[in-house]
Amino acid sequence: MKNFINTITQGDCLDLIKQVPDNSINSIITDPPYFLGVTHNGQKGEYSDLLIMKPFFQALFYEFKRILKSDGCVYLCCDFRTYPFLYPIFDEYITMRNLLVWDKKSGPGNFYSFVHEFVIFGMDKPKDMHGLNIFTLKSFSSGAKATNGEKLHPTQKPIELFEKFILDSTKEGDLVCDPFAGSGTLAIAAIKTKRNYICFELQDKYVKIATERIELFKGNMNPKIDNFKITPNLFN
Ligand SMILES: C[S@@+](CC[C@H](N)C(=O)[O-])C[C@H]1O[C@@H](n2cnc3c(N)ncnc32)[C@H](O)[C@@H]1O
């Protein structure tokens, strides 16, 4: 098996995830594509078009269940259109425990502004989880948008968001996974919090962008974090 640990691996996550050992991941924290931009001859796609993605997500959530430790957690970003599609498929494999709402305090939009984002939260074996299902992030609380440096991906999530989910659900040295890595936000949050990561990304350009972003981040880290040693033999 290729060693996926602490790298962004290029490829289709549905193929790659099959090589991740059973019961090895503490949390899956991810933001899959929403598949809402598909058009027919210039016409907007319809909600029912999402059904074509059902087999993909069934196969993916089956793998999520297989690779997660028994008390592992899943955080799955979605929106008001993808939530009703994803929920029944997700809950078939992993018990959905809550729908988290990130209150961004400000946002664009004409039909009431978009100021929140949804995150499906699932886990099979319950463990103590504290906190509210509506939360804010420090750098968004004043209405100011967190940049986390340059915007490198059109749907880039703030590092703080994934950092919160890591801190809520895992401990130092644990292993987290993002099968849809984009610009590598989960990897950065994992390094910051001294967790190990497995990230997959289909597009070469984002693998390159994420890898460079990680190197830049590591270069700017303070020595205390720098001394963090990757946990050996995570799969043993
Ligand atoms: C919504 S974006 C994730 C953005 C990320 N959270 C960030 O902060 O940059 C989804 C990403 O999944 C990637 N993707 C789409 N299908 C994929 C697949 N089958 N396997 C792996 N990556 C995929 C896309 O190229 C895209 O970069």
mmCIF file of all heavy atoms in Angstrom, residues 11-14 31-35 56 153 155-158 162 178-186 200-203 206 213, ligand 1:
data_model
loop_
_atom_site.group_PDB
_atom_site.id
_atom_site.type_symbol
_atom_site.label_atom_id
_atom_site.label_comp_id
_atom_site.label_asym_id
_atom_site.label_seq_id
_atom_site.Cartn_x
_atom_site.Cartn_y
_atom_site.Cartn_z
ATOM 1 N N GLY A 11 -5.673 11.760 -7.286
ATOM 2 C CA GLY A 11 -6.467 10.663 -7.830
ATOM 3 C C GLY A 11 -7.914 10.756 -7.407
ATOM 4 O O GLY A 11 -8.301 11.656 -6.657
ATOM 5 N N ASP A 12 -8.712 9.825 -7.927
ATOM 6 C CA ASP A 12 -10.129 9.748 -7.574
ATOM 7 C C ASP A 12 -10.232 9.133 -6.179
ATOM 8 O O ASP A 12 -9.794 7.996 -5.958
ATOM 9 C CB ASP A 12 -10.847 8.879 -8.609
ATOM 10 C CG ASP A 12 -12.348 8.813 -8.383
ATOM 11 O OD1 ASP A 12 -12.820 9.111 -7.263
ATOM 12 O OD2 ASP A 12 -13.058 8.440 -9.332
ATOM 13 N N CYS A 13 -10.823 9.874 -5.266
ATOM 14 C CA CYS A 13 -10.858 9.394 -3.873
ATOM 15 C C CYS A 13 -11.571 8.058 -3.742
ATOM 16 O O CYS A 13 -11.260 7.275 -2.855
ATOM 17 C CB CYS A 13 -11.475 10.441 -2.953
ATOM 18 S SG CYS A 13 -13.177 10.860 -3.333
ATOM 19 N N LEU A 14 -12.509 7.792 -4.643
ATOM 20 C CA LEU A 14 -13.248 6.534 -4.534
ATOM 21 C C LEU A 14 -12.341 5.334 -4.814
ATOM 22 O O LEU A 14 -12.546 4.253 -4.265
ATOM 23 C CB LEU A 14 -14.442 6.550 -5.496
ATOM 24 C CG LEU A 14 -15.550 5.549 -5.232
ATOM 25 C CD1 LEU A 14 -15.990 5.532 -3.783
ATOM 26 C CD2 LEU A 14 -16.723 5.816 -6.152
ATOM 27 N N ASP A 31 -15.380 18.425 2.381
ATOM 28 C CA ASP A 31 -16.231 19.392 1.690
ATOM 29 C C ASP A 31 -16.319 18.926 0.234
ATOM 30 O O ASP A 31 -15.566 19.397 -0.611
ATOM 31 C CB ASP A 31 -15.497 20.748 1.819
ATOM 32 C CG ASP A 31 -16.114 21.877 1.063
ATOM 33 O OD1 ASP A 31 -17.315 21.853 0.815
ATOM 34 O OD2 ASP A 31 -15.354 22.813 0.734
ATOM 35 N N PRO A 32 -17.239 17.973 -0.059
ATOM 36 C CA PRO A 32 -17.273 17.436 -1.428
ATOM 37 C C PRO A 32 -17.852 18.449 -2.417
ATOM 38 O O PRO A 32 -18.526 19.386 -1.999
ATOM 39 C CB PRO A 32 -18.205 16.223 -1.307
ATOM 40 C CG PRO A 32 -19.029 16.471 -0.099
ATOM 41 C CD PRO A 32 -18.246 17.368 0.817
ATOM 42 N N PRO A 33 -17.614 18.236 -3.720
ATOM 43 C CA PRO A 33 -18.235 19.138 -4.702
ATOM 44 C C PRO A 33 -19.754 19.048 -4.592
ATOM 45 O O PRO A 33 -20.287 17.983 -4.266
ATOM 46 C CB PRO A 33 -17.759 18.584 -6.052
ATOM 47 C CG PRO A 33 -16.813 17.498 -5.784
ATOM 48 C CD PRO A 33 -16.859 17.144 -4.337
ATOM 49 N N TYR A 34 -20.445 20.162 -4.872
ATOM 50 C CA TYR A 34 -21.904 20.181 -4.715
ATOM 51 C C TYR A 34 -22.640 19.770 -5.993
ATOM 52 O O TYR A 34 -23.840 19.573 -5.966
ATOM 53 C CB TYR A 34 -22.374 21.566 -4.261
ATOM 54 C CG TYR A 34 -21.964 21.916 -2.829
ATOM 55 C CD1 TYR A 34 -22.314 23.139 -2.272
ATOM 56 C CD2 TYR A 34 -21.254 21.022 -2.043
ATOM 57 C CE1 TYR A 34 -21.952 23.469 -0.969
ATOM 58 C CE2 TYR A 34 -20.887 21.339 -0.742
ATOM 59 C CZ TYR A 34 -21.242 22.567 -0.203
ATOM 60 O OH TYR A 34 -20.885 22.887 1.080
ATOM 61 N N PHE A 35 -21.934 19.686 -7.111
ATOM 62 C CA PHE A 35 -22.528 19.229 -8.379
ATOM 63 C C PHE A 35 -23.768 20.023 -8.760
ATOM 64 O O PHE A 35 -24.725 19.466 -9.283
ATOM 65 C CB PHE A 35 -22.882 17.736 -8.310
ATOM 66 C CG PHE A 35 -21.703 16.873 -7.950
ATOM 67 C CD1 PHE A 35 -21.591 16.309 -6.694
ATOM 68 C CD2 PHE A 35 -20.697 16.641 -8.864
ATOM 69 C CE1 PHE A 35 -20.497 15.534 -6.351
ATOM 70 C CE2 PHE A 35 -19.597 15.864 -8.525
ATOM 71 C CZ PHE A 35 -19.498 15.314 -7.277
ATOM 72 N N PHE A 56 -22.176 6.976 -6.433
ATOM 73 C CA PHE A 56 -20.858 7.459 -6.003
ATOM 74 C C PHE A 56 -20.843 7.655 -4.484
ATOM 75 O O PHE A 56 -19.951 7.159 -3.785
ATOM 76 C CB PHE A 56 -20.513 8.778 -6.724
ATOM 77 C CG PHE A 56 -19.227 9.408 -6.259
ATOM 78 C CD1 PHE A 56 -18.022 9.085 -6.872
ATOM 79 C CD2 PHE A 56 -19.204 10.318 -5.211
ATOM 80 C CE1 PHE A 56 -16.820 9.642 -6.438
ATOM 81 C CE2 PHE A 56 -18.014 10.885 -4.763
ATOM 82 C CZ PHE A 56 -16.823 10.546 -5.387
ATOM 83 N N HIS A 153 -8.471 28.476 -3.864
ATOM 84 C CA HIS A 153 -9.488 27.553 -4.400
ATOM 85 C C HIS A 153 -10.822 28.283 -4.343
ATOM 86 O O HIS A 153 -11.101 28.968 -3.350
ATOM 87 C CB HIS A 153 -9.513 26.282 -3.533
ATOM 88 C CG HIS A 153 -10.293 25.166 -4.126
ATOM 89 N ND1 HIS A 153 -11.672 25.165 -4.216
ATOM 90 C CD2 HIS A 153 -9.899 23.984 -4.674
ATOM 91 C CE1 HIS A 153 -12.079 24.046 -4.788
ATOM 92 N NE2 HIS A 153 -11.024 23.305 -5.072
ATOM 93 N N THR A 155 -13.753 27.357 -3.598
ATOM 94 C CA THR A 155 -14.611 27.038 -2.447
ATOM 95 C C THR A 155 -13.773 26.724 -1.205
ATOM 96 O O THR A 155 -14.133 25.853 -0.410
ATOM 97 C CB THR A 155 -15.540 25.838 -2.771
ATOM 98 O OG1 THR A 155 -14.716 24.715 -3.117
ATOM 99 C CG2 THR A 155 -16.482 26.136 -3.906
ATOM 100 N N GLN A 156 -12.695 27.450 -1.071
ATOM 101 C CA GLN A 156 -11.761 27.232 0.051
ATOM 102 C C GLN A 156 -12.450 27.474 1.398
ATOM 103 O O GLN A 156 -13.131 28.478 1.585
ATOM 104 C CB GLN A 156 -10.594 28.199 -0.123
ATOM 105 C CG GLN A 156 -9.417 27.929 0.776
ATOM 106 C CD GLN A 156 -8.223 28.755 0.308
ATOM 107 O OE1 GLN A 156 -8.047 28.984 -0.892
ATOM 108 N NE2 GLN A 156 -7.419 29.208 1.232
ATOM 109 N N LYS A 157 -12.266 26.556 2.319
ATOM 110 C CA LYS A 157 -12.824 26.720 3.661
ATOM 111 C C LYS A 157 -11.760 27.339 4.569
ATOM 112 O O LYS A 157 -10.564 27.132 4.352
ATOM 113 C CB LYS A 157 -13.230 25.360 4.238
ATOM 114 C CG LYS A 157 -14.465 24.759 3.572
ATOM 115 C CD LYS A 157 -15.724 25.429 4.073
ATOM 116 C CE LYS A 157 -17.002 24.832 3.538
ATOM 117 N NZ LYS A 157 -17.374 25.259 2.184
ATOM 118 N N PRO A 158 -12.172 28.077 5.608
ATOM 119 C CA PRO A 158 -11.168 28.637 6.519
ATOM 120 C C PRO A 158 -10.482 27.535 7.327
ATOM 121 O O PRO A 158 -11.145 26.563 7.724
ATOM 122 C CB PRO A 158 -11.963 29.561 7.435
ATOM 123 C CG PRO A 158 -13.378 29.345 7.153
ATOM 124 C CD PRO A 158 -13.543 28.477 5.949
ATOM 125 N N PHE A 162 -11.964 23.818 10.007
ATOM 126 C CA PHE A 162 -11.529 22.423 10.101
ATOM 127 C C PHE A 162 -10.722 22.189 11.382
ATOM 128 O O PHE A 162 -10.751 21.108 11.956
ATOM 129 C CB PHE A 162 -10.730 22.040 8.853
ATOM 130 C CG PHE A 162 -11.590 21.829 7.623
ATOM 131 C CD1 PHE A 162 -11.026 21.496 6.396
ATOM 132 C CD2 PHE A 162 -12.969 21.964 7.688
ATOM 133 C CE1 PHE A 162 -11.816 21.289 5.272
ATOM 134 C CE2 PHE A 162 -13.773 21.757 6.567
ATOM 135 C CZ PHE A 162 -13.188 21.424 5.352
ATOM 136 N N ASP A 178 -9.302 13.854 4.523
ATOM 137 C CA ASP A 178 -10.148 14.664 3.639
ATOM 138 C C ASP A 178 -10.014 14.124 2.218
ATOM 139 O O ASP A 178 -8.994 14.343 1.563
ATOM 140 C CB ASP A 178 -9.729 16.145 3.682
ATOM 141 C CG ASP A 178 -10.645 17.018 2.819
ATOM 142 O OD1 ASP A 178 -11.529 16.465 2.141
ATOM 143 O OD2 ASP A 178 -10.458 18.260 2.825
ATOM 144 N N PRO A 179 -11.030 13.406 1.729
ATOM 145 C CA PRO A 179 -10.933 12.840 0.371
ATOM 146 C C PRO A 179 -11.089 13.877 -0.738
ATOM 147 O O PRO A 179 -10.833 13.558 -1.894
ATOM 148 C CB PRO A 179 -12.082 11.827 0.319
ATOM 149 C CG PRO A 179 -12.783 11.876 1.618
ATOM 150 C CD PRO A 179 -12.266 13.023 2.415
ATOM 151 N N PHE A 180 -11.558 15.096 -0.414
ATOM 152 C CA PHE A 180 -11.753 16.167 -1.410
ATOM 153 C C PHE A 180 -10.944 17.384 -0.953
ATOM 154 O O PHE A 180 -11.495 18.393 -0.517
ATOM 155 C CB PHE A 180 -13.242 16.529 -1.515
ATOM 156 C CG PHE A 180 -14.137 15.382 -1.890
ATOM 157 C CD1 PHE A 180 -14.848 14.667 -0.926
ATOM 158 C CD2 PHE A 180 -14.283 15.005 -3.228
ATOM 159 C CE1 PHE A 180 -15.679 13.605 -1.274
ATOM 160 C CE2 PHE A 180 -15.120 13.947 -3.584
ATOM 161 C CZ PHE A 180 -15.814 13.252 -2.610
ATOM 162 N N ALA A 181 -9.637 17.285 -1.083
ATOM 163 C CA ALA A 181 -8.746 18.203 -0.348
ATOM 164 C C ALA A 181 -8.693 19.632 -0.891
ATOM 165 O O ALA A 181 -8.359 20.547 -0.148
ATOM 166 C CB ALA A 181 -7.339 17.623 -0.310
ATOM 167 N N GLY A 182 -8.965 19.836 -2.177
ATOM 168 C CA GLY A 182 -8.874 21.193 -2.728
ATOM 169 C C GLY A 182 -7.520 21.801 -2.448
ATOM 170 O O GLY A 182 -6.473 21.240 -2.798
ATOM 171 N N SER A 183 -7.522 22.937 -1.756
ATOM 172 C CA SER A 183 -6.273 23.661 -1.488
ATOM 173 C C SER A 183 -5.545 23.154 -0.243
ATOM 174 O O SER A 183 -4.601 23.790 0.220
ATOM 175 C CB SER A 183 -6.569 25.159 -1.350
ATOM 176 O OG SER A 183 -7.435 25.366 -0.252
ATOM 177 N N GLY A 184 -6.013 22.047 0.338
ATOM 178 C CA GLY A 184 -5.280 21.439 1.464
ATOM 179 C C GLY A 184 -5.600 22.027 2.824
ATOM 180 O O GLY A 184 -4.792 21.922 3.760
ATOM 181 N N THR A 185 -6.802 22.586 2.983
ATOM 182 C CA THR A 185 -7.165 23.227 4.255
ATOM 183 C C THR A 185 -7.100 22.238 5.428
ATOM 184 O O THR A 185 -6.595 22.573 6.503
ATOM 185 C CB THR A 185 -8.569 23.858 4.146
ATOM 186 O OG1 THR A 185 -8.548 24.766 3.047
ATOM 187 C CG2 THR A 185 -8.972 24.596 5.412
ATOM 188 N N LEU A 186 -7.597 21.019 5.222
ATOM 189 C CA LEU A 186 -7.561 20.060 6.342
ATOM 190 C C LEU A 186 -6.119 19.713 6.717
ATOM 191 O O LEU A 186 -5.802 19.588 7.899
ATOM 192 C CB LEU A 186 -8.327 18.770 6.032
ATOM 193 C CG LEU A 186 -8.346 17.850 7.267
ATOM 194 C CD1 LEU A 186 -9.283 18.375 8.348
ATOM 195 C CD2 LEU A 186 -8.660 16.421 6.933
ATOM 196 N N PHE A 200 -6.846 13.342 -0.367
ATOM 197 C CA PHE A 200 -6.903 13.011 -1.789
ATOM 198 C C PHE A 200 -7.452 14.212 -2.550
ATOM 199 O O PHE A 200 -8.290 14.957 -2.034
ATOM 200 C CB PHE A 200 -7.821 11.808 -2.029
ATOM 201 C CG PHE A 200 -7.432 10.582 -1.254
ATOM 202 C CD1 PHE A 200 -8.382 9.858 -0.537
ATOM 203 C CD2 PHE A 200 -6.116 10.136 -1.236
ATOM 204 C CE1 PHE A 200 -8.035 8.718 0.183
ATOM 205 C CE2 PHE A 200 -5.745 9.000 -0.521
ATOM 206 C CZ PHE A 200 -6.714 8.289 0.188
ATOM 207 N N GLU A 201 -6.987 14.374 -3.777
ATOM 208 C CA GLU A 201 -7.498 15.456 -4.626
ATOM 209 C C GLU A 201 -7.343 15.025 -6.082
ATOM 210 O O GLU A 201 -6.292 14.555 -6.496
ATOM 211 C CB GLU A 201 -6.745 16.772 -4.345
ATOM 212 C CG GLU A 201 -6.985 17.898 -5.330
ATOM 213 C CD GLU A 201 -8.447 18.301 -5.553
ATOM 214 O OE1 GLU A 201 -9.208 18.466 -4.583
ATOM 215 O OE2 GLU A 201 -8.838 18.416 -6.736
ATOM 216 N N LEU A 202 -8.443 15.183 -6.824
ATOM 217 C CA LEU A 202 -8.485 14.713 -8.213
ATOM 218 C C LEU A 202 -7.642 15.573 -9.155
ATOM 219 O O LEU A 202 -6.956 15.055 -10.042
ATOM 220 C CB LEU A 202 -9.961 14.717 -8.668
ATOM 221 C CG LEU A 202 -10.322 14.036 -9.968
ATOM 222 C CD1 LEU A 202 -9.901 12.576 -9.969
ATOM 223 C CD2 LEU A 202 -11.834 14.129 -10.190
ATOM 224 N N GLN A 203 -7.717 16.879 -8.986
ATOM 225 C CA GLN A 203 -7.099 17.774 -9.981
ATOM 226 C C GLN A 203 -5.630 18.059 -9.645
ATOM 227 O O GLN A 203 -5.323 18.567 -8.561
ATOM 228 C CB GLN A 203 -7.863 19.095 -10.042
ATOM 229 C CG GLN A 203 -9.281 18.936 -10.547
ATOM 230 C CD GLN A 203 -9.865 20.282 -10.925
ATOM 231 O OE1 GLN A 203 -9.305 21.013 -11.733
ATOM 232 N NE2 GLN A 203 -10.981 20.632 -10.326
ATOM 233 N N TYR A 206 -4.687 21.439 -8.096
ATOM 234 C CA TYR A 206 -4.921 21.660 -6.664
ATOM 235 C C TYR A 206 -3.977 20.824 -5.792
ATOM 236 O O TYR A 206 -3.647 21.234 -4.676
ATOM 237 C CB TYR A 206 -6.392 21.428 -6.302
ATOM 238 C CG TYR A 206 -7.276 22.502 -6.885
ATOM 239 C CD1 TYR A 206 -8.341 22.194 -7.715
ATOM 240 C CD2 TYR A 206 -6.996 23.855 -6.649
ATOM 241 C CE1 TYR A 206 -9.126 23.189 -8.275
ATOM 242 C CE2 TYR A 206 -7.771 24.853 -7.208
ATOM 243 C CZ TYR A 206 -8.838 24.525 -8.024
ATOM 244 O OH TYR A 206 -9.599 25.513 -8.580
ATOM 245 N N ARG A 213 1.192 25.064 -0.540
ATOM 246 C CA ARG A 213 0.623 25.789 0.617
ATOM 247 C C ARG A 213 1.105 25.155 1.922
ATOM 248 O O ARG A 213 1.437 25.849 2.880
ATOM 249 C CB ARG A 213 -0.911 25.729 0.517
ATOM 250 C CG ARG A 213 -1.647 26.545 1.540
ATOM 251 C CD ARG A 213 -3.137 26.446 1.314
ATOM 252 N NE ARG A 213 -3.903 27.140 2.308
ATOM 253 C CZ ARG A 213 -5.116 26.778 2.699
ATOM 254 N NH1 ARG A 213 -5.720 25.744 2.159
ATOM 255 N NH2 ARG A 213 -5.756 27.477 3.617
HETATM 256 C C1 LIG B 1 -15.452 21.884 -2.575
HETATM 257 S S1 LIG B 1 -13.795 21.564 -3.077
HETATM 258 C C2 LIG B 1 -12.883 21.411 -1.562
HETATM 259 C C3 LIG B 1 -12.227 22.696 -1.125
HETATM 260 C C4 LIG B 1 -11.406 22.532 0.149
HETATM 261 N N1 LIG B 1 -12.244 22.265 1.306
HETATM 262 C C5 LIG B 1 -10.528 23.752 0.421
HETATM 263 O O1 LIG B 1 -10.629 24.349 1.523
HETATM 264 O O2 LIG B 1 -9.773 24.137 -0.459
HETATM 265 C C6 LIG B 1 -13.907 19.917 -3.645
HETATM 266 C C7 LIG B 1 -12.639 19.375 -4.267
HETATM 267 O O3 LIG B 1 -12.832 17.990 -4.555
HETATM 268 C C8 LIG B 1 -12.114 17.666 -5.729
HETATM 269 N N2 LIG B 1 -12.736 16.432 -6.271
HETATM 270 C C9 LIG B 1 -13.866 16.296 -6.994
HETATM 271 N N3 LIG B 1 -14.117 15.005 -7.253
HETATM 272 C C10 LIG B 1 -13.132 14.288 -6.663
HETATM 273 C C11 LIG B 1 -12.827 12.897 -6.560
HETATM 274 N N4 LIG B 1 -13.623 11.985 -7.125
HETATM 275 N N5 LIG B 1 -11.728 12.521 -5.884
HETATM 276 C C12 LIG B 1 -10.914 13.448 -5.302
HETATM 277 N N6 LIG B 1 -11.135 14.787 -5.360
HETATM 278 C C13 LIG B 1 -12.235 15.199 -6.029
HETATM 279 C C14 LIG B 1 -12.282 18.887 -6.616
HETATM 280 O O4 LIG B 1 -11.248 18.968 -7.587
HETATM 281 C C15 LIG B 1 -12.229 20.025 -5.593
HETATM 282 O O5 LIG B 1 -10.935 20.574 -5.484
#
